[in-house]
Amino acid sequence: MSEQRETRILMISPDSKLTPDQLVRAVHAMVPEISIKETCYGCLVEGTRETVKKVVEQVRQIYRNEVFSKRRGYPQGDPRRCRAQHGTRPGFTQLEAEWECLPLIQYALNEIDAGNGAYEVPAEKKPIPVKEMKDICEAYR
Amino acid sequence: MSTIRIAQLSCGTEYSGVQFEIESAARAVGAKIVYPDVSYSQVKEALDRFGFKPKSTQLQLMIARAMSLADRKFEADAVFITTCFRCAEAALVRNELRRFIQENTRLPVVTYSFTERLKAAQLLTRMEALVTIVTRKELLARERQSGITAGIDSGSSTTKAVIMENNKIIGKDWTPSGAVVVETAEQVLANAMKEAGVEMKDIEAMGTTGYGRFTVGKHFNCKLIQEELTVNSKGAVWLANRQRGEATIIDIGGMDNKAITVRDGIPDNFTMGGICAGASGRFLQMTANRLKIDIQDLGAMAVKGNWANAKMNSYCSVFGIQDLVTSLGEGKKFEDVAAAACHSVAEQVYEQQLQEIDVRHPIIEVGGTSLISGLVKAVGEVLGEEPIVPPHSQYIGAVGGALLSSGFL
Amino acid sequence: MKVFIDPPNSMVLFDLVERFGHEPLSSMAVIQEKIDNIEVDMPPMNVTLDDVVRGLKYAGVEVPSGIRGRMSLWGPMIEAADAAIIIDNAPFSFGCVGCDRSNELTKYLIHRRGIPALTVKYPTDEAEAKIMVGQIKDFLGGLKQ
């Protein structure tokens, strides 16, 4: 079964103007035989591994750096994971936190696409030597 | 009756394979496990307010969920706080959150540290008590017994029966529990009725508690079949005449120990231990057997001794007792050895259970082991306060059963 | 190549690894295997006592059960990985990764395997995001297919 079914979270970056509704309609047009559930952050798609792969590839082409994706273990509407059953599961908070981070990732990917991807890793900051700290303290005496 | 909602604040239950067992236990007593909803921003805010920032985010989430209960953003009837056994970080959070919930809500709360071997049956009594506290508020508020009622406490070591009339005990009996719980119960009930001078037809209602409560309750068609945490609490405060205000009830039983904090006789927090025979009344029985003395004499002997003279290197009911025998071989006094045995049990109860509750005053010590004076003395020494041992303290369950069942008249 | 991601449930890492042409090894995949097993009925995750006992391979019995249960799922993934990317100070690590001790052990096991591993810092602004994404892209680009 695992080989057959794949469920994906498609999450729209908060900086994108794309709406979940638009995304759902676009995905529907991409492939037949896919199950889609609109959510507050984008949508859940479910189908065979091959179908879902096609969807993700096309979504990445059309909404290149605006929509992000990861697999989900549970199928759509699984009561074991459903929020309505007994409240949110802890992974919900994780998704929320990562959603907040997506604009930064989107920015970085856009920069790379635009040829501005050069970066420099800053040297790690180290605590000042004890002697130096002592001098500072004594200067305030 | 709507389903009782037990809010679960936990870490590690799913990856330990015990979440299913927790939910099964809740379902078995007509309750449902719920998780208070929180958002990511609430987690950040909750940590700042609470002031404790554990490294593990699941523990952070527990804090935010507790905050959501305290702020009444999420409705629940009771709280179950549980984390992995042997996790220090979680143990700190578990205890502080229990305190926080008690200070900020009126919800009954129980804490538990689990291993991967946890089975639903181990949680049943605790879950049942949470449900009783929520659903039987009016019954539990009862302070006077009326009419003629009987209570049977079918415990793991002994079975007790009490007959009460107009708020007085008029008959009582106990005996070691036999293989067939109903037979033992019938025997103590008959003796108690004889002492009271009443017959079965005179008894207007019966209540039962303890391990054998379901079998006994069915056999006698009891009006009240209820777990021992709430029933014993009521019996203890009635016997000690401390029905109002706060108290801590310590019941060192034959198989498990209970430490319960009560407010007006109703438990709001409790722990139950039962994995170590060395921390139970059974240990003292084994010590007495090994020393070839009567269990009744062990207590009086211990009062005269000094535990520090007979060092025990182990709390274990096998190795610890061996230490005591070795001490005797070295010429130590019987009294000191008996005192060491009592001290060992008291110390373990203190270390394992009383850390999970906030001890309130007075401390009421009950159950069969409260008759062992050496143990009461040892508990007093360990806690720094002498416990109250009410008269008939071994009859708490039976008294609680008789008292509460009169509420059905 | 198979790239283990840490946090193993991270959407950002899963997406970037796939985007840059590799196969992310994530906790979602192992959880799917567990929950799709119709022979076990232990909701919500079908993690059983046997799994926790299998976790003894990674941590002793004195270690809390939640850690052993987690390691029994992630350990085999770390063993199967060709490379790994770790976000060192992710402020988000809820759900599967709620236990800090498990997370520390996971990082150590990656290190002990000696596979190519990249540790990046979670960004707090756009400049740092460029560094993180740039490092990940270069690391993945340098992995031989």
Side-chain angles (χ1 to χ4, degrees):
Chain A
M1 197 172 169
S2 297
E3 282 306 307
Q4 280 304 309
R5 188 239 333 155
E6 182 160 323
T7 308
R8 280 271 179 162
I9 292 169
L10 295 182
M11 190 179 256
I12 303 167
S13 164
D15 272 8
S16 167
K17 292 203 165 51
L18 183 67
T19 66
D21 175 58
Q22 289 168 328
L23 180 63
V24 167
R25 276 186 280 146
V27 173
H28 264 305
M30 286 172 192
V31 285
E33 291 182 23
I34 187 117
S35 167
I36 311 174
K37 188 167 175 261
E38 190 179 320
T39 64
C40 52
Y41 54 75
C43 64
L44 270 177
V45 295
E46 189 170 303
T48 64
R49 187 148 294 169
E50 268 314 296
T51 316
V52 171
K53 198 176 158 197
K54 277 185 208 156
V55 169
V56 174
E57 278 168 6
Q58 289 187 56
V59 166
R60 282 213 181 103
Q61 268 177 15
I62 304 168
Y63 310 109
R64 190 163 163 77
N65 299 332
E66 295 171 56
V67 177
F68 294 81
S69 156
K70 77 163 180 172
R71 273 178 76 172
R72 185 176 120 150
Y74 291 87
Q76 287 175 356
D78 191 316
R80 291 173 291 190
R81 197 185 195 278
C82 177
R83 188 178 179 181
Q85 291 293 316
H86 44 31
T88 48
R89 290 174 43 76
F92 177 80
T93 331
Q94 160 98 8
L95 267 183
E96 258 190 302
E98 287 202 87
W99 180 75
E100 283 182 17
C101 167
L102 291 183
L104 293 180
I105 307 295
Q106 182 185 359
Y107 167 82
L109 288 170
N110 285 341
E111 286 287 282
I112 289 170
D113 284 352
N116 301 326
Y119 61 89
E120 200 175 325
V121 183
E124 214 160 293
K125 285 185 180 173
K126 286 185 180 151
I128 57 170
V130 178
K131 169 82 175 61
E132 214 172 293
M133 186 67 203
K134 186 168 172 266
D135 292 345
I136 294 169
C137 293
E138 280 170 356
Y140 280 96
R141 246 210 314 233
Chain B
M1 189 183 75
S2 62
T3 308
I4 302 301
R5 290 159 59 88
I6 300 177
Q8 179 180 319
L9 308 177
S10 65
C11 183
T13 55
E14 295 188 356
Y15 281 93
S16 299
V18 301
Q19 183 60 33
F20 177 71
E21 302 292 338
I22 294 170
E23 295 192 15
S24 302
R27 260 197 312 274
V29 296
K32 183 183 173 167
I33 293 291
V34 292
Y35 304 130
D37 267 332
V38 288
S39 67
Y40 179 53
S41 59
Q42 276 176 286
V43 177
K44 289 187 278 193
E45 190 198 309
L47 292 178
D48 285 341
R49 262 174 68 193
F50 193 64
F52 188 141
K53 195 174 180 192
K55 290 268 270 177
S56 296
T57 48
Q58 182 66 28
L59 297 173
Q60 297 180 4
L61 205 55
M62 275 172 77
I63 294 171
R65 286 175 166 173
M67 206 66 91
S68 154
L69 287 170
D71 292 347
R72 312 286 188 279
K73 284 184 184 152
F74 187 86
E75 288 301 319
D77 303 301
V79 187
F80 180 56
I81 307 179
T82 191
T83 58
C84 291
F85 179 55
R86 294 199 184 97
C87 177
E89 188 182 35
L92 292 172
V93 173
R94 186 179 68 228
N95 200 42
E96 293 312 318
L97 279 187
R98 189 262 311 149
R99 190 170 283 149
F100 176 79
I101 293 285
Q102 282 190 288
E103 283 169 1
N104 292 282
T105 75
R106 279 283 171 138
L107 302 174
V109 52
V110 62
T111 55
Y112 193 81
S113 69
F114 58 82
T115 72
E116 65 273 29
R117 309 254 166 206
L118 174 71
K119 291 283 169 257
Q122 290 161 259
L123 293 176
L124 274 182
T125 304
R126 295 169 176 86
M127 292 285 185
E128 194 189 340
L130 285 180
V131 171
T132 308
I133 294 163
V134 176
T135 56
R136 293 193 158 171
K137 272 202 181 86
E138 279 176 33
L139 184 70
L140 290 175
R142 189 168 193 86
E143 292 178 1
R144 281 184 64 82
Q145 185 271 350
S146 58
I148 300 178
T149 59
I152 299 175
D153 179 359
S154 178
S156 66
S157 298
T158 57
T159 303
K160 285 87 49 178
V162 151
I163 311 289
M164 290 178 81
E165 183 178 18
N166 296 332
N167 211 33
K168 282 197 178 71
I169 298 172
I170 57 167
K172 61 192 180 309
D173 189 38
W174 74 273
T175 189
S177 295
V180 184
V181 293
V182 168
E183 280 175 17
T184 321
E186 273 178 335
Q187 181 195 325
V188 288
L189 181 65
N191 290 340
M193 286 194 298
K194 202 171 157 193
E195 187 186 319
V198 299
E199 289 176 26
M200 201 63 177
K201 63 175 171 45
D202 302 320
I203 293 173
E204 297 168 87
M206 276 174 80
T208 182
T209 188
Y211 279 89
R213 64 186 178 279
F214 295 109
T215 315
V216 169
K218 200 172 158 200
H219 178 78
F220 290 104
N221 195 20
C222 289
K223 288 252 192 320
L224 178 102
I225 303 168
Q226 201 163 295
E227 38 58 47
E228 52 270 34
L229 287 155
T230 52
V231 176
N232 289 11
S233 297
K234 285 305 288 183
V237 295
W238 187 90
L239 284 166
N241 199 17
R242 298 274 179 171
Q243 307 235 39
R244 290 294 167 97
E246 297 187 328
T248 302
I249 297 162
I250 298 175
D251 180 359
I252 303 171
M255 228 167 99
D256 56 37
N257 306 325
K258 298 161 204 82
I260 309 165
T261 56
V262 294
R263 199 178 275 142
D264 295 339
I266 300 174
D268 56 1
N269 179 215
F270 50 83
T271 67
M272 253 178 104
I275 46 167
C276 179
S280 73
R282 198 60 59 96
F283 181 78
L284 298 177
Q285 183 66 60
M286 289 167 77
T287 306
N289 292 351
R290 190 69 194 259
L291 300 181
K292 294 195 171 62
I293 55 171
D294 199 86
I295 180 81
Q296 274 92 344
D297 299 332
L298 182 87
M301 208 176 251
V303 170
K304 291 183 211 144
N306 179 0
W307 62 271
N309 290 338
K311 276 276 185 248
M312 284 176 69
N313 294 318
S314 168
Y315 282 139
C316 170
S317 61
V318 177
F319 297 122
I321 288 176
Q322 193 54 45
D323 285 344
L324 295 177
V325 173
T326 308
S327 290
L328 284 176
E330 288 166 357
K332 299 283 193 266
K333 288 196 293 185
F334 258 68
E335 286 81 357
D336 293 342
V337 169
C342 291
H343 185 81
S344 171
V345 172
E347 212 168 45
Q348 276 214 82
V349 170
Y350 177 67
E351 286 175 10
Q352 291 180 14
Q353 278 174 307
L354 295 176
Q355 304 307 314
E356 295 264 332
I357 62 166
D358 279 333
V359 174
R360 294 180 190 151
H361 308 282
I363 298 163
I364 306 172
E365 192 173 341
V366 290
T369 56
S370 63
L371 302 177
I372 302 171
S373 48
L375 180 62
V376 178
K377 184 186 168 207
V379 168
E381 280 168 1
V382 169
L383 292 180
E385 175 184 328
E386 205 175 314
I388 297 171
V389 180
H392 313 306
S393 59
Q394 73 274 40
Y395 287 105
I396 35 154
V399 167
L403 167 68
L404 292 176
S405 64
S406 76
F408 290 95
L409 296 180
Chain C
M1 287 178 93
K2 290 183 165 66
V3 181
F4 180 79
I5 57 173
D6 182 28
N9 61 346
S10 166
M11 153 159 287
V12 170
L13 280 183
F14 189 100
D15 182 280
L16 290 178
V17 168
E18 201 176 51
R19 200 177 276 262
F20 294 127
H22 292 274
E23 183 192 344
L25 296 182
S26 67
S27 59
M28 293 79 77
V30 281
I31 287 170
Q32 178 164 351
E33 269 178 41
K34 300 252 55 131
I35 60 145
D36 279 354
N37 181 355
I38 51 169
E39 286 170 17
V40 183
D41 185 20
M42 291 273 285
M45 285 197 344
N46 279 351
V47 170
T48 64
L49 177 61
D50 289 346
D51 292 313
V52 185
V53 170
R54 263 195 290 278
L56 287 170
K57 181 177 173 191
Y58 305 97
V61 76
E62 75 275 22
V63 173
S65 50
I67 297 179
R68 283 179 280 130
R70 283 183 166 88
M71 296 322 295
S72 75
L73 301 191
W74 304 346
M77 273 199 297
I78 298 171
E79 283 156 22
D82 303 309
I85 300 178
I86 301 156
I87 297 184
D88 200 24
N89 56 338
F92 51 83
S93 52
F94 294 96
C96 308
V97 281
C99 169
D100 191 62
R101 302 300 176 274
S102 307
N103 299 345
E104 289 299 326
L105 183 58
T106 301
K107 288 185 183 70
Y108 170 70
L109 290 179
I110 294 167
H111 172 82
R112 203 176 68 181
R113 268 215 59 209
I115 51 175
L118 171 72
T119 302
V120 291
K121 280 215 157 68
Y122 177 78
T124 56
D125 57 25
E126 289 181 342
E128 286 179 6
K130 252 174 90 170
I131 296 171
M132 184 185 98
V133 177
Q135 282 180 304
I136 290 173
K137 183 175 186 288
D138 291 349
F139 175 76
L140 292 170
L143 293 176
K144 289 198 182 87
Q145 283 291 351

